[in-house]
PDB file of all heavy atoms in Angstrom:
ATOM      1  N   ASP A 243      -1.289-105.882  54.281  1.00 98.00           N
ATOM      2  CA  ASP A 243      -0.796-106.247  55.724  1.00 98.00           C
ATOM      3  C   ASP A 243       0.060-105.061  56.243  1.00 98.00           C
ATOM      4  O   ASP A 243       1.099-104.733  55.681  1.00 98.00           O
ATOM      5  CB  ASP A 243       0.040-107.434  55.601  1.00 98.00           C
ATOM      6  CG  ASP A 243       0.481-108.059  57.036  1.00 98.00           C
ATOM      7  OD1 ASP A 243       0.360-107.224  58.056  1.00 98.00           O
ATOM      8  OD2 ASP A 243       0.942-109.222  57.096  1.00 98.00           O
ATOM      9  N   TYR A 244      -0.597-104.469  57.425  1.00 98.00           N
ATOM     10  CA  TYR A 244       0.187-103.316  57.895  1.00 98.00           C
ATOM     11  C   TYR A 244       1.512-103.547  58.336  1.00 98.00           C
ATOM     12  O   TYR A 244       2.336-102.791  58.463  1.00 98.00           O
ATOM     13  CB  TYR A 244      -0.778-102.655  59.031  1.00 98.00           C
ATOM     14  CG  TYR A 244      -0.788-103.306  60.274  1.00 98.00           C
ATOM     15  CD1 TYR A 244       0.365-103.185  61.263  1.00 98.00           C
ATOM     16  CD2 TYR A 244      -1.791-104.170  60.714  1.00 98.00           C
ATOM     17  CE1 TYR A 244       0.288-103.692  62.507  1.00 98.00           C
ATOM     18  CE2 TYR A 244      -1.868-104.839  61.876  1.00 98.00           C
ATOM     19  CZ  TYR A 244      -0.831-104.546  62.766  1.00 98.00           C
ATOM     20  OH  TYR A 244      -0.764-105.227  64.089  1.00 98.00           O
ATOM     21  N   ARG A 245       1.715-104.878  58.849  1.00 98.00           N
ATOM     22  CA  ARG A 245       3.025-105.258  59.405  1.00 98.00           C
ATOM     23  C   ARG A 245       4.154-105.174  58.290  1.00 98.00           C
ATOM     24  O   ARG A 245       5.285-104.896  58.537  1.00 98.00           O
ATOM     25  CB  ARG A 245       2.985-106.670  59.952  1.00 98.00           C
ATOM     26  CG  ARG A 245       2.219-106.730  61.209  1.00 98.00           C
ATOM     27  CD  ARG A 245       1.983-108.251  61.600  1.00 98.00           C
ATOM     28  NE  ARG A 245       1.097-108.906  60.800  1.00 98.00           N
ATOM     29  CZ  ARG A 245      -0.309-109.063  61.160  1.00 98.00           C
ATOM     30  NH1 ARG A 245      -0.706-108.515  62.183  1.00 98.00           N
ATOM     31  NH2 ARG A 245      -0.941-109.706  60.208  1.00 98.00           N
ATOM     32  N   GLU A 246       3.718-105.415  57.138  1.00 98.00           N
ATOM     33  CA  GLU A 246       4.725-105.293  55.882  1.00 98.00           C
ATOM     34  C   GLU A 246       5.071-103.877  55.765  1.00 98.00           C
ATOM     35  O   GLU A 246       6.181-103.523  55.491  1.00 98.00           O
ATOM     36  CB  GLU A 246       4.121-105.836  54.626  1.00 98.00           C
ATOM     37  CG  GLU A 246       4.058-107.442  54.702  1.00 98.00           C
ATOM     38  CD  GLU A 246       3.421-107.992  53.372  1.00 98.00           C
ATOM     39  OE1 GLU A 246       3.280-107.139  52.459  1.00 98.00           O
ATOM     40  OE2 GLU A 246       3.353-109.205  53.277  1.00 98.00           O
ATOM     41  N   LEU A 247       4.129-103.009  55.819  1.00 98.00           N
ATOM     42  CA  LEU A 247       4.405-101.505  55.710  1.00 98.00           C
ATOM     43  C   LEU A 247       5.350-101.002  56.836  1.00 98.00           C
ATOM     44  O   LEU A 247       6.256-100.260  56.618  1.00 98.00           O
ATOM     45  CB  LEU A 247       3.098-100.674  55.776  1.00 98.00           C
ATOM     46  CG  LEU A 247       3.199 -99.208  55.515  1.00 98.00           C
ATOM     47  CD1 LEU A 247       1.946 -98.622  54.807  1.00 98.00           C
ATOM     48  CD2 LEU A 247       3.339 -98.535  56.794  1.00 98.00           C
ATOM     49  N   LEU A 248       5.068-101.418  57.992  1.00 98.00           N
ATOM     50  CA  LEU A 248       5.995-101.062  59.218  1.00 98.00           C
ATOM     51  C   LEU A 248       7.250-101.578  59.046  1.00 98.00           C
ATOM     52  O   LEU A 248       8.223-100.982  59.720  1.00 98.00           O
ATOM     53  CB  LEU A 248       5.232-101.452  60.531  1.00 98.00           C
ATOM     54  CG  LEU A 248       3.908-100.843  60.785  1.00 98.00           C
ATOM     55  CD1 LEU A 248       3.360-101.350  62.202  1.00 98.00           C
ATOM     56  CD2 LEU A 248       4.000 -99.273  60.871  1.00 98.00           C
ATOM     57  N   ALA A 249       7.487-102.751  58.299  1.00 98.00           N
ATOM     58  CA  ALA A 249       8.809-103.240  58.170  1.00 98.00           C
ATOM     59  C   ALA A 249       9.625-102.570  57.202  1.00 98.00           C
ATOM     60  O   ALA A 249      10.835-102.830  57.055  1.00 98.00           O
ATOM     61  CB  ALA A 249       8.731-104.736  57.876  1.00 98.00           C
ATOM     62  N   ASN A 250       8.902-101.677  56.391  1.00 98.00           N
ATOM     63  CA  ASN A 250       9.634-100.871  55.321  1.00 98.00           C
ATOM     64  C   ASN A 250      10.658 -99.890  56.030  1.00 98.00           C
ATOM     65  O   ASN A 250      10.068 -98.926  56.528  1.00 98.00           O
ATOM     66  CB  ASN A 250       8.561-100.275  54.513  1.00 98.00           C
ATOM     67  CG  ASN A 250       9.161 -99.601  53.281  1.00 98.00           C
ATOM     68  OD1 ASN A 250      10.462 -99.229  53.177  1.00 98.00           O
ATOM     69  ND2 ASN A 250       8.344 -99.247  52.166  1.00 98.00           N
ATOM     70  N   PRO A 251      11.906 -99.988  55.876  1.00 98.00           N
ATOM     71  CA  PRO A 251      12.722 -98.982  56.535  1.00 98.00           C
ATOM     72  C   PRO A 251      12.716 -97.646  55.894  1.00 98.00           C
ATOM     73  O   PRO A 251      13.038 -96.615  56.498  1.00 98.00           O
ATOM     74  CB  PRO A 251      14.114 -99.582  56.173  1.00 98.00           C
ATOM     75  CG  PRO A 251      13.993-100.449  55.003  1.00 98.00           C
ATOM     76  CD  PRO A 251      12.541-101.044  55.052  1.00 98.00           C
ATOM     77  N   GLU A 252      12.010 -97.572  54.633  1.00 98.00           N
ATOM     78  CA  GLU A 252      11.915 -96.239  53.984  1.00 98.00           C
ATOM     79  C   GLU A 252      10.804 -95.438  54.776  1.00 98.00           C
ATOM     80  O   GLU A 252      10.895 -94.151  54.757  1.00 98.00           O
ATOM     81  CB  GLU A 252      11.596 -96.349  52.549  1.00 98.00           C
ATOM     82  CG  GLU A 252      11.698 -95.069  51.777  1.00 98.00           C
ATOM     83  CD  GLU A 252      11.263 -95.126  50.282  1.00 98.00           C
ATOM     84  OE1 GLU A 252      10.722 -96.281  49.826  1.00 98.00           O
ATOM     85  OE2 GLU A 252      11.562 -94.293  49.493  1.00 98.00           O
ATOM     86  N   VAL A 253       9.936 -95.938  55.350  1.00 98.00           N
ATOM     87  CA  VAL A 253       8.791 -95.288  55.947  1.00 98.00           C
ATOM     88  C   VAL A 253       9.145 -94.628  57.210  1.00 98.00           C
ATOM     89  O   VAL A 253       9.728 -95.352  58.222  1.00 98.00           O
ATOM     90  CB  VAL A 253       7.475 -96.205  56.199  1.00 98.00           C
ATOM     91  CG1 VAL A 253       6.531 -95.427  56.958  1.00 98.00           C
ATOM     92  CG2 VAL A 253       7.030 -96.750  54.874  1.00 98.00           C
ATOM     93  N   GLU A 254       8.984 -93.341  57.338  1.00 98.00           N
ATOM     94  CA  GLU A 254       9.421 -92.578  58.638  1.00 98.00           C
ATOM     95  C   GLU A 254       8.021 -92.233  59.534  1.00 98.00           C
ATOM     96  O   GLU A 254       8.260 -92.195  60.715  1.00 98.00           O
ATOM     97  CB  GLU A 254      10.210 -91.368  58.401  1.00 98.00           C
ATOM     98  CG  GLU A 254      11.448 -91.586  57.521  1.00 98.00           C
ATOM     99  CD  GLU A 254      11.968 -90.261  57.020  1.00 98.00           C
ATOM    100  OE1 GLU A 254      11.414 -89.638  55.924  1.00 98.00           O
ATOM    101  OE2 GLU A 254      12.888 -89.706  57.590  1.00 98.00           O
ATOM    102  N   VAL A 255       7.065 -91.952  58.706  1.00 98.00           N
ATOM    103  CA  VAL A 255       5.955 -91.458  59.446  1.00 98.00           C
ATOM    104  C   VAL A 255       4.653 -92.284  58.936  1.00 98.00           C
ATOM    105  O   VAL A 255       4.540 -92.666  57.759  1.00 98.00           O
ATOM    106  CB  VAL A 255       5.603 -89.965  59.078  1.00 98.00           C
ATOM    107  CG1 VAL A 255       4.311 -89.492  59.744  1.00 98.00           C
ATOM    108  CG2 VAL A 255       6.880 -89.149  59.313  1.00 98.00           C
ATOM    109  N   VAL A 256       3.829 -92.714  59.860  1.00 98.00           N
ATOM    110  CA  VAL A 256       2.670 -93.590  59.609  1.00 98.00           C
ATOM    111  C   VAL A 256       1.367 -92.757  60.037  1.00 98.00           C
ATOM    112  O   VAL A 256       1.192 -92.231  61.100  1.00 98.00           O
ATOM    113  CB  VAL A 256       2.701 -94.882  60.309  1.00 98.00           C
ATOM    114  CG1 VAL A 256       1.356 -95.571  60.286  1.00 98.00           C
ATOM    115  CG2 VAL A 256       3.777 -95.752  59.866  1.00 98.00           C
ATOM    116  N   HIS A 257       0.305 -92.691  59.083  1.00 98.00           N
ATOM    117  CA  HIS A 257      -0.909 -92.264  59.424  1.00 98.00           C
ATOM    118  C   HIS A 257      -1.729 -93.452  59.379  1.00 98.00           C
ATOM    119  O   HIS A 257      -2.065 -94.180  58.448  1.00 98.00           O
ATOM    120  CB  HIS A 257      -1.266 -91.249  58.170  1.00 98.00           C
ATOM    121  CG  HIS A 257      -0.700 -89.914  58.163  1.00 98.00           C
ATOM    122  ND1 HIS A 257      -1.295 -88.858  57.735  1.00 98.00           N
ATOM    123  CD2 HIS A 257       0.506 -89.584  58.508  1.00 98.00           C
ATOM    124  CE1 HIS A 257      -0.507 -87.725  57.917  1.00 98.00           C
ATOM    125  NE2 HIS A 257       0.673 -88.220  58.473  1.00 98.00           N
ATOM    126  N   VAL A 258      -2.488 -93.562  60.528  1.00 98.00           N
ATOM    127  CA  VAL A 258      -3.385 -94.549  60.859  1.00 98.00           C
ATOM    128  C   VAL A 258      -4.771 -94.149  60.617  1.00 98.00           C
ATOM    129  O   VAL A 258      -5.400 -93.302  61.314  1.00 98.00           O
ATOM    130  CB  VAL A 258      -3.288 -95.066  62.362  1.00 98.00           C
ATOM    131  CG1 VAL A 258      -4.278 -96.151  62.604  1.00 98.00           C
ATOM    132  CG2 VAL A 258      -1.891 -95.608  62.708  1.00 98.00           C
ATOM    133  N   CYS A 259      -5.435 -94.638  59.489  1.00 98.00           N
ATOM    134  CA  CYS A 259      -6.786 -94.193  58.981  1.00 98.00           C
ATOM    135  C   CYS A 259      -7.670 -95.352  59.044  1.00 98.00           C
ATOM    136  O   CYS A 259      -8.483 -95.553  58.013  1.00 98.00           O
ATOM    137  CB  CYS A 259      -6.637 -93.583  57.635  1.00 98.00           C
ATOM    138  SG  CYS A 259      -5.478 -92.283  57.531  1.00 98.00           S
ATOM    139  N   THR A 260      -7.643 -96.130  59.937  1.00 97.00           N
ATOM    140  CA  THR A 260      -8.503 -97.390  60.018  1.00 97.00           C
ATOM    141  C   THR A 260      -9.643 -97.283  60.971  1.00 97.00           C
ATOM    142  O   THR A 260      -9.685 -96.380  61.819  1.00 97.00           O
ATOM    143  CB  THR A 260      -7.557 -98.566  60.536  1.00 97.00           C
ATOM    144  OG1 THR A 260      -7.122 -98.278  61.853  1.00 97.00           O
ATOM    145  CG2 THR A 260      -6.392 -98.780  59.523  1.00 97.00           C
ATOM    146  N   PRO A 261     -10.627 -98.329  61.117  1.00 95.00           N
ATOM    147  CA  PRO A 261     -11.603 -98.158  62.109  1.00 95.00           C
ATOM    148  C   PRO A 261     -10.989 -98.056  63.476  1.00 95.00           C
ATOM    149  O   PRO A 261      -9.958 -98.527  63.813  1.00 95.00           O
ATOM    150  CB  PRO A 261     -12.428 -99.637  61.859  1.00 95.00           C
ATOM    151  CG  PRO A 261     -12.202 -99.879  60.465  1.00 95.00           C
ATOM    152  CD  PRO A 261     -10.751 -99.375  60.177  1.00 95.00           C
ATOM    153  N   ASN A 262     -11.892 -97.450  64.424  1.00 95.00           N
ATOM    154  CA  ASN A 262     -11.401 -97.128  65.853  1.00 95.00           C
ATOM    155  C   ASN A 262     -10.803 -98.292  66.559  1.00 95.00           C
ATOM    156  O   ASN A 262      -9.828 -98.135  67.274  1.00 95.00           O
ATOM    157  CB  ASN A 262     -12.582 -96.576  66.473  1.00 95.00           C
ATOM    158  CG  ASN A 262     -13.191 -95.311  65.968  1.00 95.00           C
ATOM    159  OD1 ASN A 262     -12.568 -94.690  65.104  1.00 95.00           O
ATOM    160  ND2 ASN A 262     -14.449 -94.987  66.223  1.00 95.00           N
ATOM    161  N   VAL A 263     -11.388 -99.503  66.542  1.00 95.00           N
ATOM    162  CA  VAL A 263     -10.933-100.552  67.342  1.00 95.00           C
ATOM    163  C   VAL A 263      -9.562-101.056  66.976  1.00 95.00           C
ATOM    164  O   VAL A 263      -8.880-101.712  67.896  1.00 95.00           O
ATOM    165  CB  VAL A 263     -11.926-101.737  67.352  1.00 95.00           C
ATOM    166  CG1 VAL A 263     -13.272-101.391  67.988  1.00 95.00           C
ATOM    167  CG2 VAL A 263     -12.039-102.341  65.931  1.00 95.00           C
ATOM    168  N   SER A 264      -9.054-100.714  65.814  1.00 97.00           N
ATOM    169  CA  SER A 264      -7.740-101.112  65.373  1.00 97.00           C
ATOM    170  C   SER A 264      -6.600-100.033  65.635  1.00 97.00           C
ATOM    171  O   SER A 264      -5.434-100.316  65.453  1.00 97.00           O
ATOM    172  CB  SER A 264      -7.636-101.442  63.870  1.00 97.00           C
ATOM    173  OG  SER A 264      -7.896-100.414  63.041  1.00 97.00           O
ATOM    174  N   HIS A 265      -7.020 -98.865  66.148  1.00 98.00           N
ATOM    175  CA  HIS A 265      -6.090 -97.717  66.282  1.00 98.00           C
ATOM    176  C   HIS A 265      -4.881 -98.082  67.257  1.00 98.00           C
ATOM    177  O   HIS A 265      -3.728 -97.921  66.915  1.00 98.00           O
ATOM    178  CB  HIS A 265      -6.779 -96.568  66.884  1.00 98.00           C
ATOM    179  CG  HIS A 265      -7.686 -95.772  65.840  1.00 98.00           C
ATOM    180  ND1 HIS A 265      -8.309 -94.644  66.171  1.00 98.00           N
ATOM    181  CD2 HIS A 265      -7.912 -96.137  64.604  1.00 98.00           C
ATOM    182  CE1 HIS A 265      -9.013 -94.233  65.117  1.00 98.00           C
ATOM    183  NE2 HIS A 265      -8.634 -95.079  64.159  1.00 98.00           N
ATOM    184  N   SER A 266      -5.299 -98.714  68.322  1.00 98.00           N
ATOM    185  CA  SER A 266      -4.268 -99.106  69.338  1.00 98.00           C
ATOM    186  C   SER A 266      -3.272-100.168  68.922  1.00 98.00           C
ATOM    187  O   SER A 266      -2.076 -99.838  68.967  1.00 98.00           O
ATOM    188  CB  SER A 266      -5.060 -99.555  70.718  1.00 98.00           C
ATOM    189  OG  SER A 266      -3.935 -99.951  71.587  1.00 98.00           O
ATOM    190  N   GLU A 267      -3.735-101.165  68.322  1.00 98.00           N
ATOM    191  CA  GLU A 267      -2.783-102.279  67.781  1.00 98.00           C
ATOM    192  C   GLU A 267      -1.887-101.666  66.799  1.00 98.00           C
ATOM    193  O   GLU A 267      -0.609-101.945  66.865  1.00 98.00           O
ATOM    194  CB  GLU A 267      -3.606-103.333  67.226  1.00 98.00           C
ATOM    195  CG  GLU A 267      -2.884-104.517  66.606  1.00 98.00           C
ATOM    196  CD  GLU A 267      -3.741-105.556  65.889  1.00 98.00           C
ATOM    197  OE1 GLU A 267      -4.842-105.716  66.285  1.00 98.00           O
ATOM    198  OE2 GLU A 267      -3.143-106.184  64.960  1.00 98.00           O
ATOM    199  N   ILE A 268      -2.248-100.970  65.909  1.00 98.00           N
ATOM    200  CA  ILE A 268      -1.475-100.447  64.761  1.00 98.00           C
ATOM    201  C   ILE A 268      -0.506 -99.433  65.334  1.00 98.00           C
ATOM    202  O   ILE A 268       0.634 -99.311  64.925  1.00 98.00           O
ATOM    203  CB  ILE A 268      -2.331 -99.938  63.539  1.00 98.00           C
ATOM    204  CG1 ILE A 268      -3.123-101.129  62.999  1.00 98.00           C
ATOM    205  CG2 ILE A 268      -1.461 -99.302  62.511  1.00 98.00           C
ATOM    206  CD1 ILE A 268      -4.142-100.667  61.984  1.00 98.00           C
TER     207      ILE A 268
END
């Protein structure tokens, strides 16, 4: 669940490597 990753306070930088239609939401 990407929302769990985004809730992780340790994460500073996110690389979005998903199918095109999900780029915007994530």
Side-chain angles (χ1 to χ4, degrees):
D243 188 342
Y244 77 83
R245 290 173 287 265
E246 291 182 358
L247 184 149
L248 296 181
N250 184 343
E252 189 179 14
V253 174
E254 302 170 279
V255 185
V256 169
H257 285 213
V258 180
C259 306
T260 60
N262 299 338
V263 296
S264 62
H265 286 182
S266 177
E267 176 186 333
I268 296 172

